[in-house]
Each structure stands twice: as C-alpha cells, then as structure tokens.
Amino acid sequence: MVTSYLNETIMAKIIENGIEREASCTEELFAMRDSLDVLGGKWKLMILRYLTNRPDQQIHFKKLQRGIDGISAKMLSKELKELEMNLLITRTIQDTKPITVVYAVTEYGKSVLPVTETLVNWGIIHREKIKESMSSSDL
C-alpha cells in the first residue's frame, strides 16, 4: 500500500534573540543548500546509515567498502574525510599491527538519523508505487 502525503505548507522555525519566527523561503533554500553540500552525493548518507546501524561494531575501512556495494576505495576515502571534516563521524587510529582505523558516527552525526529514516521509508514507498504502476500498465 502506498501512503500519500498531505499537501500542506510547512515552514521551518528560526529563533532569533529568543523569539521564534517562520523562516523565509530564501532562508529555507539556503539551509537546504547547506544540507546538500554536507550530505549530498551518492554515498555520504549510505555511509552514515551503515555506521549508525552498527553502533556496537568496530567498523574499519575495508569493512565499510565491502558493506557498501559499489563504492570505490578512492570515493570512500574522500567521503569519509568530508564526513569527518563536518563532525559527523570520528576516525580513530588503533595501536595495532598493522594499524587499524575505526570509524564511528558522532553524537552530532546521529542527528542525521531522521533524514536517513525518512529517505529509507520514502524509498520503500516509491519502489512500491513504481511496481504498482508497472503492473497496472501491463494490463
């Protein structure tokens, strides 16, 4: 079953000098652009989701690469550096032989969890909608 969303305007809230107000459309678009700059691309949200779903595991580079189908080592390295730079993940070097680097989501990085939850749920609904559309067009 496909869930439909209400067609209503939802404006973000901004607190300035202790006073709450609705964000302007321009402010919302700037905030959206900032979010996409930090989280955009094919891999960052997938990396965060993978790490978030494994809080009790030590996740090293190769495990991440094996767990996220299709990501190259070069791209994973780039994305991990950007996620760390934006304080969403930590990179811990362990004193082992050979040296092991472990990645984990920060408390701040966990704030992205509702975004990934929404995208996962929307993706499931979207796949179902497309399947329904394809089967009804086959008739």
Side-chain angles (χ1 to χ4, degrees):
M1 183 174 132
V2 176
T3 306
S4 62
Y5 292 91
L6 297 175
N7 191 9
E8 60 184 56
T9 303
I10 302 170
M11 299 297 288
K13 303 292 183 199
I14 292 179
I15 299 175
E16 282 182 330
N17 302 321
I19 300 170
E20 185 177 290
R21 67 173 176 81
E22 285 189 349
S24 69
C25 184
T26 301
E27 288 170 319
E28 284 192 343
L29 293 176
F30 282 146
M32 176 80 70
R33 185 178 64 198
D34 292 345
S35 298
L36 290 173
D37 285 347
V38 173
L39 301 171
K42 184 176 179 179
W43 303 108
K44 286 187 186 101
L45 289 172
M46 292 175 71
I47 293 167
L48 284 170
R49 186 71 181 194
Y50 186 91
L51 291 170
T52 301
N53 284 346
R54 292 155 182 84
D56 299 325
Q57 296 179 24
Q58 290 201 350
I59 308 296
H60 52 83
F61 188 89
K62 282 293 186 186
K63 189 170 189 173
L64 262 170
Q65 190 178 9
R66 283 191 305 265
I68 301 173
D69 190 42
I71 192 167
S72 69
K74 182 178 178 180
M75 181 57 73
L76 179 56
S77 179
K78 174 189 166 295
E79 299 291 60
L80 288 169
K81 284 177 186 165
E82 289 180 18
L83 288 167
E84 183 182 16
M85 181 184 71
N86 284 294
L87 310 176
L88 299 173
I89 65 167
T90 58
R91 177 181 184 271
T92 305
I93 300 172
Q94 295 184 328
D95 189 22
T96 58
K97 294 198 187 217
I99 291 176
T100 306
V101 178
V102 175
Y103 297 92
V105 176
T106 63
E107 283 302 313
Y108 178 59
K110 291 176 186 175
S111 68
V112 180
L113 184 59
V115 174
T116 63
E117 285 290 323
T118 300
L119 286 170
V120 167
N121 291 330
W122 185 86
I124 290 168
I125 291 167
H126 180 68
R127 281 178 180 257
E128 189 62 32
K129 186 162 188 69
I130 296 301
K131 283 183 205 172
E132 287 174 9
S133 171
M134 291 172 67
S135 49
S136 67
S137 67
D138 290 342
L139 299 176

